[in-house]
Amino acid sequence: MAMAQEIGKVRKMAASASGRTLVICVDRDNDIGDKAGIETPVVGRDACLEAAQRLALEDPEDADSNAIFSAVKSYEDLLSRGNAAEVAIVAGVGRRGVQADEKIVAEVRSVTEAFGATGAVIVSDGEDDEAVIPVIQNVVPVISVQRVVMKVSHTIEHSYAVFGKYIKMVMYDAHYSKFFLGVPGILLLIGGIATVLGYATQIASILVIIFAGALITRAFDIDKAWINWTKPEPEALVRLFTMVTGIVLIIASVPAGVSTVAGVSGADIAGLSLDRETAGQFMAGALPILWIGIGVMLGGMTLSHLFAGARREVGDVLRLIALGALYPTLNQFTAILANGASEFTLVPPLLAGLGVTLAAALILFRRYKGQRDAAPDAKGA
């Protein structure tokens, strides 16, 4: 009996010394939310198993469900060795990128603070999910990384099955068939009609242009961008409106600058002579409208970030402040060019603008740091 008690004490001491381990299954592209409709974070063995089953029913071929099962197994292995452990699923967004990483870090931080984890085991199904490991390490130390690799058959029959599956995907999946079947079909149709009409020699360049346009459209997601413009979200609509307005104002600054040049009427750009006085007069007329256009574009970016909920307040506000602080310096520079003022008159507005920018940066960073430090305290309370 005494020996059993000693063994129990040793196990208990080992478990307490090892800390509290959080097993995290990472789904960066949010398949669990898009396919199974599950909101993350998902915490606990039973909840994770239910989420894996729902995802497997929605898409049996998705590897994320196997990654969740592997995370639960790692969690049970830790418990069997006497470690204090918990298992959770965190997810990003479908478009991945910075927004996905921000969401994952926020979910990891909330689960870590609730559980009091001192270390984490990351479970994923590929390199894309593992890309967030460096940012997770800023929240909790990562003590192990486990990648789930599916075991598949390497027989010839399996290879044929996989090949047939992708052929079927290209043939019947609208996402792929539009490009792999639609573009060649259009090219063949135009080539056939042109050959019948006797324009075979002229059609080659047209086919090349069409094919190049299709490649550019797909490479730069022009089709998706057009869909987003036709059905925009509030932040996209604000950014689009302010971007177009800013570009129009920037273009309008050119004739505004020309109209202020002595001896030149309207937008008679050909009548300009390249000298110091002309450049100063042109900049004096163009600068206000040009600066308003740039300010509208930067302001639109700030508003779109606020609508989208992205935490970029410091950078957005600093850009606007720097734009305003730079205006007096440029305005004085135009006076030097146009009126022959002394170059030393640039020093006061330059120092003032630099001081305003540095002071604003210091205030904003201190405020942001204070809010960030107060957030964990509020959650802990």
Side-chain angles (χ1 to χ4, degrees), residues 194-379:
T195 302
V196 172
L197 298 177
Y199 296 102
T201 57
Q202 293 87 355
I203 198 60
S205 57
I206 298 177
L207 295 181
V208 170
I209 293 173
I210 295 175
F211 186 65
L215 292 178
I216 293 173
T217 301
R218 186 79 296 276
F220 295 100
D221 287 335
I222 296 177
D223 53 342
K224 293 182 180 180
W226 176 254
I227 293 174
N228 292 334
W229 286 349
T230 55
K231 297 179 180 180
E233 297 178 354
E235 61 271 17
L237 184 61
V238 170
R239 176 173 293 187
L240 176 63
F241 176 79
T242 54
M243 189 68 66
V244 173
T245 305
I247 292 173
V248 171
L249 289 174
I250 291 173
I251 295 174
S253 67
V254 176
V258 173
S259 64
T260 60
V261 178
V264 179
S265 59
D268 187 11
I269 299 178
L272 291 176
S273 59
L274 296 178
D275 55 31
R276 178 172 174 171
E277 183 179 355
T278 301
Q281 293 175 354
F282 175 81
M283 289 180 62
L287 192 61
I289 299 179
L290 176 64
W291 235 238
I292 292 173
I294 297 175
V296 168
M297 295 173 68
L298 295 180
M301 293 174 60
T302 304
L303 290 176
S304 66
H305 291 160
L306 291 176
F307 277 114
R311 297 188 61 83
R312 301 178 181 176
E313 296 91 342
V314 174
D316 290 337
V317 175
L318 273 180
R319 277 194 292 266
L320 291 172
I321 292 175
L323 186 71
L326 190 59
Y327 182 82
T329 303
L330 291 178
N331 191 39
Q332 183 61 31
F333 180 69
T334 61
I336 293 174
L337 293 178
N339 305 322
S342 174
E343 285 79 3
F344 290 101
T345 58
L346 276 176
V347 176
L350 182 62
L351 293 178
L354 181 61
V356 169
T357 304
L358 292 178
L362 183 62
I363 294 172
L364 288 172
F365 277 116
R366 282 186 175 179
R367 181 178 179 182
Y368 176 74
K369 184 178 179 181
Q371 291 177 350
R372 187 176 60 182
D373 295 338
D377 298 337
K379 290 182 180 179

Side-chain angles (χ1 to χ4, degrees), residues 3 17 57 137 140 151 241 269 363:
M3 180 64 71
L57 288 174
Q137 286 178 324
V140 59
K151 296 180 179 179
F241 176 79
I269 299 178
I363 294 172

Side-chain angles (χ1 to χ4, degrees), residues 28 91-93 95-105 233 235 308-310 312:
R28 194 181 185 207
V93 296
R95 293 173 292 181
R96 299 181 177 90
V98 176
Q99 189 175 358
D101 296 343
E102 290 177 344
K103 182 173 180 289
I104 288 174
V105 169
E233 297 178 354
E235 61 271 17
R312 301 178 181 176

